[in-house]
Structures are given as C-alpha cells and as structure tokens.
Amino acid sequence: MNLLYKSYFFASYQCDHSRSFYIDFGHKQIKLSFCQLLAIRQKLQAIDISSHFDMDLNSGGIEILSLCNREHLFVFDTLQVIDLKQLIKATFGILELNSLVAH
Amino acid sequence: MKDIVRQKIGINVDVMDLLNEQIAKEAHSSSVYLAMASWCDHNGFSYSAEFFYKQSAEEREHMLKIFKFINENGGTAYSPQVSNISHEYNSLQDIFETALDQEIQISKSINNIVTKCRKVQDYGSESFLQWFIQEQMEEENQFRRILEMFDLMGTDGLALKFIDERIKHD
Ligand SMILES: [Fe+2]
Ligand SMILES: [Fe+2]
C-alpha cells in the first residue's frame, strides 16, 4: 500500500494490487473504489465550513456523513471536517501528480 | 505506483466538476424556458409558448448529453437541484432579451470549461464540447434575430401579434 497523504487525524492510501483506495479514520480503515472516493470528495466539497461558525446555521458544529451507499456513518466535528477536506484535496493533488509522472 | 485514477476515469477530475456545474446550468435553463412558456401562454402568445416548450426540452437534452458523457467516462454525474426560477416578466421583448442573456452566459461557461480542458490537456472533453460551442452560436443567433424583429416592428399590440406569428416558423 502506498501512502498518498497524511493529515492531522486521517491518512489516505492507494493499493495497487486491489486497484482501490483506503482511508484511515483512526478508529477504522475503510476500503474505497475510485467511484466511492469521488463520492466522498463531492460530499466534502458540498460542506460549507463557514456554517460551523454560525450559531443559526450549524449550532452543534457537527457534520454527519454517510459513505459508500450508507455502509458507513461518521460524525465529525469542525476540526475533523477541515482536516478531512484537506486530506481529500491533497490526496487528489497527489493522484494528479502521479498521473503526470506515470505517463 | 500505478495510475489507478487514469485506469478508472477518462476525463480530468476538475473538468468533471465543471461539467457537473454545467449540468446544473442546463437544467436551470430548461426550467427558465418552461417559466417563459407559461408566461407566453397566459399572455396570449401561443406560438412563443410553443417555442419555449421546445427550448426547454432542448436544454434538458443538453443536460442529459453531459450527464451521460461524465458517467460513460468513469466519472460521476450528479442530478442537479434547480431553484430561483422567476415567472415575472415585463413584456415579450423582455423575455427574449432575458433568453439571449442566458444563452450568452451559457456560452461563456462552455468556453470556460474548454479553457480548463486545454490547461489540463483533457482533449477528449474538449472535443466533446465542440458540439456545444457550435450549438451555442446557433442559439444566440436565433434569439438575436428574434430581437431584431422587435427593433424593426416595434412593440405595439399588432406588432407583437405579428412577431408571435413569425416565431412559429423559427
Ligand atoms: Fe443548452
Ligand atoms: Fe440553449
């Protein structure tokens, strides 16, 4: 397994053998197809982090995220969401870089 | 490390994002044209109403074209949410002007995606978008020609009836 990126709370990996990806959430590691990785990316992009600093919009400062067709359910606080956004962004950056050097 | 991403998806991921945004824009256009059809129907411009029903269906086709392109190439297309559809217009001329402005915005948006395609060397998506560039030029021109009729004929009742009749043949 190749480490793609390690953020403060999380880490992402690529597994060449199974042609899939892994995200280590600390307490559990989940395996993702590329499609599922795209879905996570979409969900995180859709989260407006500024709402976490608005008492009316998101008073709890919490995001509930279901992943892989509701197979996994996560509850993240503000810091974790920021960290996860960073992880996914950087992961796709590394993947793009890898595309460039691979060809 | 293998390039798994490239094995799975034939288009650039950032281009895919822009194409998904374009899906939402086409869906929005489709709904706007539907609102315009409704206005025309209520105000006695039945040929213009028919014209906008057809426009609305065309925009939905554009949306589907992009939707399928993304999915066929290993990406994920997202079903769009449509909001902010106005049903209030001052006049028939106002409707056609708004329609032209909308088409111009769509043209700019398509051009913007093509620019991105070139930047990241996604030539597949660029070639897919060529059809849209052509289509936008035709649509813009169509509305331009209709607006010219208002310049020529004026906007009194009889002129409007005449213009509505002419739109049947467009
Ligand atoms: Fe369109
Ligand atoms: Fe159009």
Side-chain angles (χ1 to χ4, degrees), chain A residues 65-80:
Chain A
L65 227 62
S66 73
L67 300 179
C68 309
N69 296 317
R70 302 194 201 125
E71 196 183 314
H72 307 282
L73 198 68
F74 291 93
V75 180
F76 296 116
D77 64 25
T78 306
L79 278 181
Q80 287 172 317

Side-chain angles (χ1 to χ4, degrees), chain A residues 2 4 14-16 19 21 34-35 38-39 41-42 45 95-96 98-99 102-103, chain B residues 1-9 12-14 16-17 20 74-76 78 120:
Chain A
N2 304 291
L4 295 171
Q14 172 177 312
C15 173
D16 278 4
R19 300 206 305 147
F21 302 89
F34 177 63
C35 233
L38 273 184
R41 177 174 172 273
Q42 162 71 11
Q45 279 177 345
L95 289 171
E96 198 173 344
N98 185 49
S99 268
H103 299 286
Chain B
M1 192 168 85
K2 275 190 197 170
D3 188 0
I4 296 172
V5 175
R6 191 59 184 84
Q7 288 181 354
K8 299 279 185 184
I9 187 170
N12 177 276
V13 175
D14 294 325
M16 183 190 82
D17 284 343
N20 265 310
T76 305
Y78 295 104
V120 298

Side-chain angles (χ1 to χ4, degrees), chain B residues 27-155:
Chain B
H28 185 263
S29 292
S30 179
S31 293
V32 168
Y33 286 146
L34 212 49
M36 288 174 171
S38 199
W39 189 96
C40 291
D41 239 340
H42 289 153
N43 287 278
F45 302 113
S46 50
Y47 295 115
S48 300
E50 209 41 58
F51 171 84
F52 281 113
Y53 281 125
K54 217 181 93 216
Q55 288 296 318
S56 175
E58 270 180 27
E59 297 305 341
R60 190 182 148 76
E61 264 171 47
H62 297 167
M63 181 199 83
L64 279 177
K65 219 177 162 98
I66 304 171
F67 205 93
K68 288 176 182 164
F69 175 78
I70 294 176
N71 282 334
E72 276 164 8
N73 288 288
T76 305
Y78 295 104
S79 183
Q81 253 155 17
V82 178
S83 59
N84 263 331
I85 306 297
S86 169
H87 287 78
E88 288 171 53
Y89 298 98
N90 297 328
S91 62
L92 190 62
Q93 187 178 6
D94 180 29
I95 285 208
F96 281 104
E97 243 183 274
T98 308
L100 175 59
D101 283 342
Q102 173 171 285
E103 290 298 337
I104 292 171
Q105 287 312 315
I106 294 286
S107 301
K108 283 184 181 168
S109 174
I110 299 276
N111 288 349
N112 184 40
I113 307 176
V114 171
T115 305
K116 178 72 187 176
C117 287
R118 291 191 181 163
K119 217 178 260 170
V120 298
Q121 305 191 343
D122 183 349
Y123 299 121
S125 298
E126 185 188 340
S127 120
F128 165 74
L129 287 168
Q130 285 306 319
W131 181 87
F132 282 86
I133 292 182
Q134 205 62 43
E135 174 73 12
Q136 279 315 115
M137 296 197 75
E138 283 170 20
E139 299 221 326
E140 274 187 38
N141 281 336
Q142 169 178 254
F143 286 113
R144 253 182 224 114
R145 266 188 293 128
I146 293 172
L147 280 170
E148 275 164 13
M149 285 200 266
F150 288 95
D151 296 340
L152 267 150
M153 309 284 305
T155 53

Side-chain angles (χ1 to χ4, degrees), chain A residues 24-67:
Chain A
D24 189 345
F25 287 97
H27 63 292
K28 80 170 162 184
Q29 200 178 58
I30 63 172
K31 184 183 180 183
L32 303 157
S33 66
F34 177 63
C35 233
Q36 290 167 329
L37 191 65
L38 273 184
I40 292 191
R41 177 174 172 273
Q42 162 71 11
K43 285 195 173 152
L44 284 163
Q45 279 177 345
I47 295 175
D48 175 17
I49 204 75
S50 64
S51 72
H52 282 240
F53 302 97
D54 188 317
M55 279 313 276
D56 298 325
L57 290 173
N58 189 339
S59 58
I62 267 173
E63 295 290 339
I64 299 169
L65 227 62
S66 73
L67 300 179

